[in-house]
Amino acid sequence: QVQLVESGGGLVQAGDSLRLSCTVSGRTLMQYTVGWFRQAPGKEREFIAAINWSGRSISYADSVKGRFTISKDNAENTGYLVMNSLKPEDTAVYYCIANLYFDQVVGTPPKIDHWGQGTQVTVSS
């Protein structure tokens, strides 16, 4: 059984940075696409970023392109999301996901095999 546990969320000020981590157990991350979604209060869950099993395919939502960086460490079975230049509109619960197929993560609608429980990110102005 695949389990994903996020960490690294918190309360920061606009312009600050955070690094979210997603530790995966139950499967080797080497075979999986890792991604991040977020859900703000009153809004639908939205795609943020994804990186495929090899790291050679990466996709970002336009709203975070140039500010967020996704990566994964297969040896540590951990995915990361570095968030720079944070804005109040980045406030949301951030969810880590794992999926066998990259195209399913970035597709519309996305098809996701495994979700984490979420971590809160709050950016004050």
Side-chain angles (χ1 to χ4, degrees), residues 37-125:
F37 285 70
R38 70 185 180 189
Q39 188 166 20
K43 295 188 177 181
E44 293 188 355
R45 195 171 296 188
E46 63 172 342
F47 167 79
I48 295 301
I51 183 169
N52 80 327
W53 69 274
S54 67
R56 293 173 183 168
S57 293
I58 295 176
S59 179
Y60 294 100
D62 288 343
S63 58
V64 305
K65 204 171 291 184
R67 298 188 298 123
F68 291 11
T69 302
I70 189 172
S71 63
K72 64 199 287 273
D73 185 331
N74 289 334
E76 295 294 326
N77 243 34
T78 301
Y80 300 99
L81 184 69
V82 174
M83 306 184 292
N84 296 321
S85 303
L86 282 163
K87 304 174 182 179
E89 50 264 44
D90 293 319
T91 295
V93 177
Y94 283 71
Y95 297 90
C96 174
I97 67 94
N99 205 69
L100 280 177
Y101 303 109
F102 180 81
D103 289 348
Q104 291 180 346
V105 176
V106 301
T108 304
K111 179 184 178 300
I112 307 299
D113 293 332
H114 308 286
W115 291 87
Q117 84 287 352
T119 185
Q120 177 71 45
V121 172
T122 303
V123 184
S124 64
S125 56

